[in-house]
Amino acid sequence: MGGDRLFCDTALAARIERAEARLTAESSDAARARRGDTVGFARPLAGGVASFAEADSPFNKIIGLGFDGPPPAADLDEVERAFAELGAPVQVELCQLADSSAGVFFTERGYRLESFENVLGRRLGDAEFPEDVRLSRDDELETWLSEVADAVAVADTEGLPAHEDFPRETVLNAMRDMAGVRRYLAERGGEFAGGASFRVTDGIAQFTGAATVPAHRRRGVQTALLRARLAAATAAGCDVAVVTTQPGSKSHRNVQRQGFDLLYARAILVKGTSATSSSGAESRQAS
């Protein structure tokens, strides 16, 4: 399998970060559409996006920039004012493979390093869809959301703890607003055992979260959900699958076992009151 290992250069990293920026912007727009108001924003910033969806949302951040250096100071001034007007800290998720001058720029402006998250990926090829996983129907949406939110609330204690802590309602809203995703559920003994989702952006399969019901953990549910999404992503014509995890977490270990390679880390840089959220990392999944 060594020849199939995925090497990540700056071009692939920029492609993945652009996809993440699109997911953030579209999900932020969906949040405003759900509420029926215009509070918040999703605006381009130096090749990435600056977004505020709603209070405490994982889509409140700046992501995708830095590959052409830092943003113009005047543009970031405007974004920082917009976050301040909404009473929110500014959180930057900066790719390790971005131009190093971007990190210097943000730290000189008072941003502090708060955490890291890992981006892993793998090439796609032939894969079998597990029998105990299926696509969730539209009429099952509320059940899927509720079951996954409840599972997320019971964190897995194996590995490093996540730095993020979301209220249940915030998790529900974020999953509901996640634009363009396909949702899957795993069953054991006729019961809902776990749920997961992914979306396709420019040939990249973005694995956008997963959780296992506590009573069904350590039974291969996460592995089945991973394999199902790999098979579905291959069928959708994707060439790469990516997932974001908390470093050293059970989720990190699970995806490595399914052939994912560590591509790069993102530094979580924050200015203002400590943020509670990150990128929608699959570290939220309760394995």
Side-chain angles (χ1 to χ4, degrees):
M1 187 173 176
D4 296 327
R5 300 288 293 274
L6 181 59
F7 171 74
C8 187
D9 57 13
T10 55
L12 178 57
R15 181 184 169 202
I16 294 169
E17 292 297 289
R18 285 195 300 269
E20 291 296 310
R22 278 187 56 183
L23 170 61
T24 298
E26 292 172 15
S27 300
S28 183
D29 291 343
R32 286 184 290 282
R34 168 176 50 81
R35 297 194 312 270
D37 61 39
T38 59
V39 177
F41 54 86
R43 62 181 68 173
L45 181 65
V49 66
S51 164
F52 180 93
E54 62 184 354
D56 298 324
S57 171
F59 302 118
N60 297 349
K61 60 188 175 184
I62 297 171
I63 189 170
L65 49 63
F67 292 93
D68 295 320
D75 292 351
L76 186 59
D77 286 341
E78 184 178 342
V79 166
E80 289 177 345
R81 285 194 294 270
F83 277 103
E85 289 171 0
L86 292 166
V90 188
Q91 177 167 305
V92 178
E93 298 185 2
L94 186 63
C95 174
Q96 173 189 12
L97 295 177
D99 192 292
S100 60
S101 62
V104 174
F105 173 79
F106 284 112
T107 55
E108 287 181 343
R109 287 181 65 102
Y111 286 76
R112 67 185 181 278
L113 177 64
E114 191 161 287
S115 185
F116 292 97
E117 59 188 27
N118 285 344
V119 177
L120 298 96
R122 59 162 285 174
R123 301 185 192 280
L124 291 170
D126 295 335
E128 293 185 5
F129 200 99
E131 293 182 358
D132 51 354
V133 178
R134 63 175 175 83
L135 191 65
S136 180
R137 301 189 306 268
D138 290 343
D139 63 354
E140 297 175 309
L141 176 60
E142 295 305 318
T143 297
W144 190 95
L145 291 171
S146 180
E147 291 279 7
V148 173
D150 287 345
V152 169
V154 183
D156 199 303
T157 57
E158 186 172 336
L160 293 177
H163 75 283
E164 51 197 1
D165 183 18
F166 297 107
R168 185 177 189 276
E169 191 65 26
T170 299
V171 173
L172 282 171
N173 286 340
M175 292 191 301
R176 189 186 303 279
D177 297 336
M178 201 168 284
V181 300
R182 309 179 190 190
R183 298 179 177 89
Y184 294 84
L185 62 87
E187 295 175 314
R188 291 187 71 248
E191 297 182 351
F192 188 107
S197 61
F198 88 102
R199 71 172 240 156
V200 176
T201 305
D202 295 334
I204 295 174
Q206 298 167 278
F207 286 16
T208 46
T212 302
V213 174
H216 295 284
R217 291 177 185 171
R218 311 296 188 266
R219 299 293 187 273
V221 174
Q222 281 301 311
T223 297
L225 288 167
L226 279 167
R227 289 176 176 171
R229 288 178 289 172
L230 289 170
T234 298
C238 297
D239 62 308
V240 175
V242 297
V243 62
T244 303
T245 73
Q246 177 76 5
S249 64
K250 181 72 183 300
S251 300
H252 185 164
R253 187 173 71 176
N254 282 343
V255 297
Q256 279 200 328
R257 286 175 170 174
Q258 293 302 310
F260 283 77
D261 290 310
L262 177 60
L263 304 182
Y264 56 86
R266 291 192 190 108
I268 311 300
L269 306 171
V270 179
K271 185 176 183 179
T273 303
S274 180
T276 61
S277 61
S278 181
S279 70
E282 197 145 354
S283 59
R284 285 198 301 269
Q285 75 183 11
S287 301

